[in-house]
Amino acid sequence: MIFLTVEALRADRSSVNGYIRPTTPNLERLASRGINCTQAVAPGGFTNICFPSIMTSSKPLSYGGYDTGAKGRPSTVFEKVHSAGYKVSAYCTNHWVCRYHGYGDYIDNEHLLFVLNTLPGMALTLFRSTLALWHSGKITDAEIVEKAKITIGVFFDHMIDYCRERKTRMPEDVACYGGERFITDGYDFDKIILLVKQHREEFHRDILSYVQRHFYYIPKPHQWIAREWRYKRTVRALFRAGLAVVLERLGGLVDANISKFAHYRQKRYVDSAAVTNQIISKIRNWDGESPFFIWSHFFDPHIPYCPGTGPNWYLQTPKYLASLGYSHDIDISVAIRSKPKTDEEWHTWSALYDSAILYTDQQIGRIVEALEERKILDNTLLVVCGDHGEELGEHGDISHHGYLYSHSVRVPLLFSNSNLISGVNSHIVELTDVVPTITAILGIPPSPQWVGSPVWDDTVKSRNEVVLESFFGGNCVFDMRPLYMAARDKRWNFMWKEFRDPLDKLSPCGLQLYDHANDALEQINLYSKSHPEVRRLSIAIVRRLREIHEISEDRINKAFPGISV
């Protein structure tokens, strides 16, 4: 069994779901021998809110919220398949799905394939909203100390563990991922462990003093501890970094784009081709006895969109653009800009996103070919889904944040195996349905705590609408941050929020209702209190709010006066 999740993969940009450009020919092939769920919806619009739902079939704001990943939630898919005798391998390109977030148990081979600097970023994501409230005087010193214990305090232990892992695996990693950033950054992990231990000792000596000293403002990840380890690298890595800076500046004198491409030659994330190489190796070396379960997350449709393999990816990008019918004279340097500014740049941005999807699909095709070569394709279940969608400027934003527009939440989802009755599943499917479907196909009993169902189940067929839930990025602070919710069916998308989060600079202050069946990009807000769909969809949101223990009845009644369920 192979389970692949893909970062920021929009349903409406995937040809397997009808997109006019052939972005996913290999997914189309897989869908022809399985179940293609064309109305699949993510529970929210960003990664760390979605994966607890995908992997544990639970709602993001249940169990105290999504900050703790799988911890305290129902069984993960890893636990269920491991208990059934599968050898479980996880290629963790995504730092939100690994042992640091409760996913490590029951994984036989866990490969941490993310860069060092993602860990302070992860800690700050889980601390930032609470920190902002402390700065504004809305929470006490005692409360910030308690939050720091479970985010910053735990981070130090994770960092030391990560560095030890890198040291232990270094020979294997260099052989398998020698060109990836988590290798070429060249950190001296002994020096970093020493630095982290010093921070940990200072933290536990006086937590409040540590917070006052290091978080007197709300830092970005590179402005905190990562600033101190910036130069704790091997001599060779320091020389290489210095030479790169000189070459970038010299190139910039000739052409600013040369300098930018030199800086971004290495992708921020692990190249899906490198991960695919290892999955293929695992398939070829399988002993033919114990069944295998392989999971990984392909990152290439994440900004910056860099279709192509290795440090010279941009030399390959024109090939992918041409395959999709885009002009050969597209300015590829748009990929490494912070945000498009002109209509032409927006068009290019969109084209590069499509090309990144095609590049990722190509890697999935390589895995299918490896299964065919081993003559086990017919006996292998392949599952592919996006974790959430992506915005390409439709509502003034890029990437993915806390919005619940269709482009941010509708994703491809397919289950492929020769033993499945192939066809299109047009019911409203949630990503909480993924692991119950996997276990049902494999003949493994589900967890009784899972809220999802197999995609062919009557509970899915009778589902009239789904409710999505989120905060606007940051961490979960139920009593002080506004909830962002949406209730959607096959035609309507009703987006409700208590009030606009201070970090949200783009969405309207009021509520939104879109006829997404006839207004696919959701440009015309049809909301009015008297609209006949508003009450029905509001009732769905109220029902879900009443399931969340942290939300009081008074708060719900204030938000939805006159609606009783």
Side-chain angles (χ1 to χ4, degrees):
M1 147 101 220
I2 297 178
F3 181 21
L4 301 173
T5 52
V6 181
E7 179 70 22
L9 182 58
R10 283 173 59 154
D12 67 346
R13 288 305 188 99
S14 304
S15 54
V16 71
N17 276 16
Y19 184 46
I20 192 171
R21 297 183 190 272
T23 52
T24 55
N26 288 293
L27 293 191
E28 291 176 54
R29 178 186 173 193
L30 290 176
S32 70
R33 56 190 296 279
I35 304 169
N36 181 18
C37 301
T38 57
Q39 295 289 332
V41 182
F46 50 92
T47 299
N48 49 317
I49 198 173
C50 293
F51 266 113
S53 289
I54 296 171
M55 297 301 199
T56 72
S57 186
S58 57
K59 298 285 189 176
L61 297 184
S62 297
Y63 300 95
Y66 50 83
D67 290 345
T68 52
K71 296 175 184 176
R73 289 181 177 263
S75 300
T76 67
V77 65
F78 301 130
E79 177 180 350
K80 298 303 291 185
V81 297
H82 183 275
S83 300
Y86 285 73
K87 292 285 287 184
V88 180
S89 298
Y91 295 86
C92 302
T93 63
N94 193 312
H95 52 284
W96 293 112
V97 185
C98 67
R99 57 180 177 259
Y100 305 140
H101 270 267
Y103 296 97
D105 293 341
Y106 306 101
I107 296 176
D108 299 292
N109 301 294
E110 182 184 25
H111 304 261
L112 303 181
L113 304 179
F114 43 85
V115 298
L116 176 72
N117 290 348
T118 59
L119 286 173
M122 182 167 61
L124 285 172
T125 296
L126 300 177
F127 190 50
R128 185 180 296 117
S129 300
T130 307
L131 186 62
L133 291 167
W134 177 66
H135 277 293
S136 64
K138 294 180 180 178
I139 66 172
T140 65
D141 288 352
E143 289 172 311
I144 197 68
V145 165
E146 287 304 309
K147 185 64 176 180
K149 285 180 183 177
I150 61 174
T151 52
I152 305 304
V154 170
F155 154 78
F156 295 127
D157 297 332
H158 292 168
M159 177 55 61
I160 292 170
D161 175 80
Y162 175 91
C163 290
R164 289 172 176 164
E165 171 92 352
R166 287 276 77 87
K167 289 178 59 182
T168 301
R169 283 187 173 270
M170 187 57 70
E172 177 187 350
D173 284 346
V174 169
C176 298
Y177 304 100
E180 301 300 318
R181 261 194 61 187
F182 75 94
I183 300 298
T184 61
D185 279 345
Y187 284 111
D188 185 324
F189 293 111
D190 286 322
K191 291 180 180 179
I192 292 173
I193 289 172
L194 180 61
L195 170 67
V196 174
K197 285 182 176 179
Q198 291 169 349
H199 270 262
R200 185 173 64 179
E201 290 171 6
E202 179 190 353
F203 178 84
H204 288 295
R205 189 163 52 244
D206 189 334
I207 296 175
L208 182 59
S209 294
Y210 185 94
V211 171
Q212 290 170 332
R213 178 184 174 190
H214 293 276
F215 302 114
Y216 63 89
Y217 67 112
I218 303 175
K220 295 180 180 179
H222 67 275
Q223 295 172 319
W224 174 36
I225 192 172
R227 176 172 54 191
E228 297 182 50
W229 69 46
R230 182 177 181 184
Y231 296 106
K232 295 185 183 302
R233 305 172 192 254
T234 64
V235 173
R236 181 179 179 183
L238 286 171
F239 175 79
R240 189 169 57 239
L243 180 61
V245 170
V246 172
L247 293 176
E248 284 174 29
R249 291 180 177 175
L250 289 175
L253 295 175
V254 180
D255 184 340
N257 286 334
I258 294 177
S259 177
K260 290 178 181 178
F261 273 125
H263 185 71
Y264 283 102
R265 287 186 70 216
Q266 293 213 267
K267 299 181 181 182
R268 299 178 185 177
Y269 42 78
V270 174
D271 194 322
S272 58
V275 181
T276 298
N277 291 341
Q278 300 314 305
I279 294 174
I280 290 173
S281 177
K282 180 74 72 174
I283 293 168
R284 288 173 175 167
N285 294 318
W286 177 51
D287 62 11
E289 297 178 2
S290 299
F292 60 79
F293 180 97
I294 298 173
W295 170 79
S296 191
H297 185 71
F298 287 172
F299 243 111
D300 289 271
H302 191 289
I303 59 170
Y305 311 127
C306 303
T309 301
N312 293 320
W313 59 267
Y314 50 88
L315 299 179
Q316 303 163 45
T317 299
K319 174 184 70 174
Y320 293 99
L321 289 166
S323 296
L324 296 173
Y326 287 109
S327 172
H328 68 278
D329 59 355
I330 276 182
D331 180 5
I332 298 170
S333 70
V334 171
I336 55 179
R337 297 176 192 174
S338 58
K339 187 177 180 179
K341 295 180 180 179
T342 66
D343 288 345
E344 183 179 357
E345 287 182 359
W346 277 112
H347 173 74
T348 298
W349 191 268
S350 176
L352 291 167
Y353 174 71
D354 285 352
S355 298
I357 294 175
L358 177 60
Y359 175 71
T360 304
D361 180 84
Q362 185 182 78
Q363 309 315 314
I364 295 172
R366 292 176 58 212
I367 293 172
V368 173
E369 289 173 2
L371 292 169
E372 286 181 317
E373 290 173 5
R374 194 68 207 270
K375 302 187 185 308
I376 56 174
L377 177 62
D378 287 343
N379 298 323
T380 302
L381 172 64
L382 285 96
V383 179
V384 182
C385 73
D387 62 341
H388 53 74
E390 182 84 333
E391 179 163 353
L392 302 170
E394 292 87 351
H395 295 94
D397 199 12
I398 59 169
S399 191
H400 42 274
H401 297 101
Y403 303 116
L404 299 172
Y405 296 105
S406 292
H407 54 58
S408 298
V409 299
R410 279 200 59 227
V411 295
L413 169 62
L414 58 92
F415 303 85
S416 185
N417 182 264
S418 61
N419 295 318
L420 294 174
I421 299 175
S422 61
V424 171
N425 182 319
S426 60
H427 304 296
I428 302 174
V429 172
E430 300 181 83
L431 293 189
T432 53
D433 299 323
V434 172
V435 298
T437 307
I438 289 173
T439 53
I441 295 171
L442 297 179
I444 300 171
S447 168
Q449 287 79 38
W450 286 350
V451 299
S453 301
V455 297
W456 56 79
D457 195 81
D458 287 342
T459 57
V460 175
K461 293 178 181 179
S462 62
R463 191 179 282 156
N464 294 319
E465 63 272 321
V466 294
V467 176
L468 315 182
E469 54 199 61
S470 183
F471 292 102
F472 189 78
N475 58 286
C476 300
V477 188
F478 283 92
D479 55 347
M480 292 191 178
R481 300 193 66 203
L483 292 161
Y484 279 44
M485 311 284 286
R488 60 180 292 133
D489 58 20
K490 290 185 179 181
R491 178 175 178 183
W492 300 100
N493 183 19
F494 174 49
M495 297 165 59
W496 169 88
K497 53 182 174 288
E498 288 179 291
F499 55 90
R500 192 167 73 176
D501 190 286
L503 296 175
D504 178 2
K505 307 299 183 184
L506 294 173
S507 70
C509 292
L511 308 185
Q512 297 163 271
L513 177 69
Y514 296 100
D515 179 357
H516 65 80
N518 297 298
D519 175 19
L521 297 180
E522 298 177 337
Q523 299 296 299
I524 304 172
N525 184 3
L526 300 174
Y527 174 79
S528 71
K529 288 183 179 180
S530 61
H531 194 287
E533 300 297 332
V534 167
R535 182 174 179 83
R536 175 178 66 87
L537 296 172
S538 294
I539 288 172
I541 292 175
V542 169
R543 285 190 179 126
R544 173 57 189 147
L545 288 172
R546 289 207 169 111
E547 296 173 352
I548 303 172
H549 300 309
E550 291 82 358
I551 310 300
S552 69
E553 190 68 20
D554 287 344
R555 185 174 175 182
I556 297 171
N557 291 334
K558 181 180 178 181
F560 294 92
I563 294 182
S564 58
V565 179

